[in-house]
């Protein structure tokens, strides 16, 4: 039985063909202010972890036309992945904390914090620990304001309290067995060691420290509007957690689940979601009806409702006002269209003015926007909300 467990772990570790270095992989790029970043798990890769034999999750997202909020769909999101498969190659000794540092550097250098007002992260297994360490490091850095761009984090089977399978693999002779089984001269077992579950013999101080810091991070975010609310009236980022309920077939005789509910327990924004899949299949979405895909879509829709209808940008109309006057107030007054965030000093997505300088067109002086309180994360969001209330005013933004 022990050899069977080791063989399974060896097969998991050997799953991906590693790249030479960590990198951000661009899957889908279009004019938009929102993006999703995928982070794979132990010995996974950007292209293989989020795919079945017949489908790629990114393609399912790109073609999903289900309305989320207003006219927005999943197809409107840009898609990226953090590929750190090079961390598993022979000779690598990179740690989870170092991977957290690297993902932040790459997100910044690849323009994610510059080009997108709203970022969601989907992380599987070990990838969730990498993301948690990244967010904790960002919150304690001089660039903490960049973290405000992260709206939501989805944790798929993340071993926040370790994985018992890793305990089996930390004995020296077992590591050597795995190395021989993989056919490599050596692998990065620092990462396996850091996934050990605490037991009566040994406390995993890395994971326990991470959880304590994560708890403080969430509590601080919920308590202080300046830490995470961004003016939306609700703490951000939202943390969505999940765990698998099915066993890998090799474990069925033992009753072992790779990351059971107990080991996935962490501070979340809502009760953790049980998913009827085995651990390695959590990020493998077969079609738009897949439960994991629907879970993602439902929560993204809820997040969009928050960021599009609440926020620091607000225009109150009483009585109704001509759209031409509203546009003049925005573009030709001292309130520029969100060129730079007043708190962070970072540029937003460049939203081009929908009217040229000068007097508004004659029609713009006649089209009235109904009275009401219009708000959103940017003035573009505010104007889009107005256009939804006035059928004669159809507004489109071209983002750069």
């Amino acid at each position: 039985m022990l050899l069977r467990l080791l063989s399974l772990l060896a097969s998991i570790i050997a799953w991906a063909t590693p790249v030479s270095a960590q990198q951000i992989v661009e899957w889908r790029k279009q004019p938009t202010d929102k993006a999703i970043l995928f982070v794979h798990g132990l010995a996974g890769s950007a292209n293989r972890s989020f795919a079945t034999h017949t489908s790629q999750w990114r393609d399912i997202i790109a073609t999903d036309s289900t309305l989320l909020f207003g006219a927005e769909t999943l197809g409107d999101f840009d898609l990226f992945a953090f590929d750190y498969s090079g961390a598993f190659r022979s000779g690598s000794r990179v740690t989870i904390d170092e991977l957290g540092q690297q993902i932040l550097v790459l997100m910044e250098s690849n323009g994610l914090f510059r080009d997108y007002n709203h970022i969601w992260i989907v992380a599987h297994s070990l990838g969730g620990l990498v993301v948690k360490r990244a967010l904790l490091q960002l919150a304690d850095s001089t660039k903490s304001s960049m973290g405000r761009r992260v709206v939501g984090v989805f944790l798929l089977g993340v071993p926040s309290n370790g994985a018992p399978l890793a305990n089996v693999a930390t004995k020296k002779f077992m590591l050597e067995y795995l190395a021989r089984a993989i056919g490599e001269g050596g692998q990065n077992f620092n990462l396996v060691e850091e996934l050990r579950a605490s037991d009566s013999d040994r406390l995993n101080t890395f994971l326990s420290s991470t959880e304590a810091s994560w708890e403080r991070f969430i509590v601080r975010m919920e308590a202080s509007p300046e830490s995470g609310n961004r003016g939306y009236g609700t703490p951000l980022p939202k943390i969505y957690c999940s765990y698998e309920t099915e066993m890998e077939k090799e474990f069925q005789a033992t009753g072992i689940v790779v990351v059971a509910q107990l080991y996935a327990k962490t501070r979340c924004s809502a009760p953790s979601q049980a998913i009827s899949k085995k651990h390695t299949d959590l990020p493998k979405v077969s079609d738009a009806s897949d439960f994991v895909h629907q879970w993602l879509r439902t929560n993204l829709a809820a997040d969009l409702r928050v960021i599009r209808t609440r926020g620091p940008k607000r225009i109150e109309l009483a009585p109704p006002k001509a759209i031409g006057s509203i546009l003049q107030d925005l573009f030709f007054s001292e309130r520029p269209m969100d060129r730079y965030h007043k708190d962070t000093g970072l540029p937003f997505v460049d939203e081009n003015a929908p009217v040229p300088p000068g007097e508004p067109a004659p029609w713009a002086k006649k089209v009235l926007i109904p009275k009401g309180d219009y708000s959103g994360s940017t003035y573009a969001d505010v104007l889009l909300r107005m256009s939804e209330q006035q059928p004669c005013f159809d507004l489109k933004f071209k983002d750069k």
Side-chain angles (χ1 to χ4, degrees):
M1 178 59 66
L2 177 59
L3 290 180
R4 290 177 63 189
L5 297 181
L6 291 170
S7 295
L8 175 65
L9 185 58
S11 66
I12 293 174
I13 293 178
W15 169 248
T17 301
V19 295
S20 57
Q22 283 64 271
Q23 60 180 312
I24 295 290
V25 180
E26 181 184 302
W27 280 346
R28 181 177 173 83
K29 181 79 171 174
Q30 59 188 331
T32 183
D33 72 338
K34 50 192 178 292
I36 304 175
L37 175 68
F38 291 83
V39 185
H40 60 79
L42 181 64
S45 71
N47 289 326
R48 297 182 66 178
S49 292
F50 301 96
T52 68
H53 293 299
T54 59
S55 62
Q56 290 276 357
W57 195 1
R58 61 177 183 262
D59 295 334
I60 295 169
I61 290 174
T63 57
D64 191 334
S65 59
T66 304
L67 293 180
L68 301 176
F69 179 73
E72 294 176 284
T73 71
L74 281 176
D76 297 324
F77 286 74
D78 279 359
L79 304 176
F80 300 87
F82 173 53
D83 191 310
Y84 61 103
S85 52
F88 313 117
R89 71 184 186 274
S90 177
S92 175
R93 293 296 180 266
V94 69
T95 65
I96 294 175
D97 211 45
E98 290 166 342
L99 287 170
Q101 296 169 8
Q102 291 173 3
I103 191 174
L104 291 177
V105 170
L106 290 172
M107 287 179 71
E108 184 176 8
S109 65
N110 282 269
L112 271 71
F113 292 123
R114 180 195 66 228
D115 297 337
Y116 301 97
N117 294 337
H118 316 300
I119 301 169
W120 286 261
I121 302 175
V122 178
H124 175 235
S125 194
L126 172 64
L129 296 178
V130 172
V131 169
K132 291 171 81 171
R133 293 305 305 176
L135 292 177
L136 292 174
Q137 293 167 22
L138 188 58
D140 292 334
S141 74
T142 58
K143 299 180 179 180
S144 60
S145 57
M146 293 192 304
R148 299 183 184 186
R149 303 301 180 92
V150 181
V151 177
V153 178
F154 292 82
L155 302 177
L156 287 167
V158 174
S160 295
N161 298 289
L165 182 60
N167 295 42
V168 177
T170 53
K171 303 294 185 182
K172 183 177 186 298
F173 80 91
M174 294 178 182
L175 297 182
E176 293 173 350
Y177 167 83
L178 287 170
R180 290 196 302 271
I182 296 169
E184 297 265 358
Q187 288 285 331
N188 184 359
F189 291 108
N190 280 352
L191 298 176
V192 178
E193 173 72 15
E194 290 181 320
L195 292 178
R196 288 183 75 259
S198 296
D199 53 31
S200 58
D201 296 328
R202 184 178 174 187
L203 173 69
N204 187 324
T205 55
F206 170 74
L207 289 181
S208 61
S209 173
T210 297
E211 279 307 291
S213 298
W214 184 253
E215 178 77 14
R216 290 193 296 270
F217 168 69
I218 299 298
V219 169
R220 185 171 72 245
M221 180 184 67
E222 292 177 345
S224 173
E226 294 182 358
S227 295
N229 290 2
R230 293 176 57 187
Y232 296 117
T234 187
L236 295 176
K238 293 291 187 182
I239 311 298
Y240 302 104
C241 304
S242 68
Y243 59 94
E244 74 262 22
T245 61
E246 296 185 3
M247 294 172 283
E248 305 286 342
K249 65 179 182 179
E250 289 84 355
F251 292 175
Q252 289 178 358
T254 68
I256 295 176
V257 176
V258 177
V259 182
Q261 182 179 11
L262 174 65
Y263 296 99
K265 186 177 180 180
T266 191
R267 185 68 177 259
C268 309
S269 302
S272 189
Q273 177 66 58
I275 297 178
S276 298
K277 287 188 174 188
K278 61 183 182 179
H279 186 74
T280 51
D281 285 346
L282 285 174
K284 298 183 182 303
V285 170
S286 55
D287 53 44
S289 66
D290 189 293
F291 182 84
V292 173
H293 181 78
Q294 293 192 47
W295 177 62
L296 172 72
R297 187 173 62 197
T298 298
N299 288 301
L300 281 176
D303 291 345
L304 281 173
R305 178 174 293 276
V306 168
I307 65 176
R308 297 309 192 201
T309 59
R310 307 180 194 176
K313 309 302 183 186
R314 177 172 285 106
I315 297 178
E316 185 174 358
L317 299 182
K321 191 173 184 179
I323 185 59
S325 297
I326 296 171
L327 293 176
Q328 277 195 312
D329 288 344
L330 285 177
F331 294 110
F332 312 123
S333 70
E334 295 181 357
R335 293 191 299 172
M337 274 286 285
D338 301 322
R339 300 302 183 190
Y340 293 90
H341 192 285
K342 62 183 179 62
D343 296 327
T344 67
L346 295 172
F348 276 102
V349 175
D350 184 15
E351 296 163 332
N352 293 334
V355 293
E359 282 293 312
W363 67 266
K365 298 180 181 180
K366 300 177 181 179
V367 176
L368 296 179
I369 302 299
K371 69 177 182 179
D373 188 358
Y374 301 91
S375 59
S377 60
T378 67
Y379 284 123
D381 293 337
V382 174
L383 292 173
L384 287 170
R385 299 291 77 77
M386 292 179 178
S387 70
E388 292 171 355
Q389 301 300 316
Q390 172 52 272
C392 295
F393 174 47
D394 184 18
L395 181 66
K396 301 292 184 183
F397 282 96
K398 180 180 180 182
D399 294 343
K400 290 185 178 179

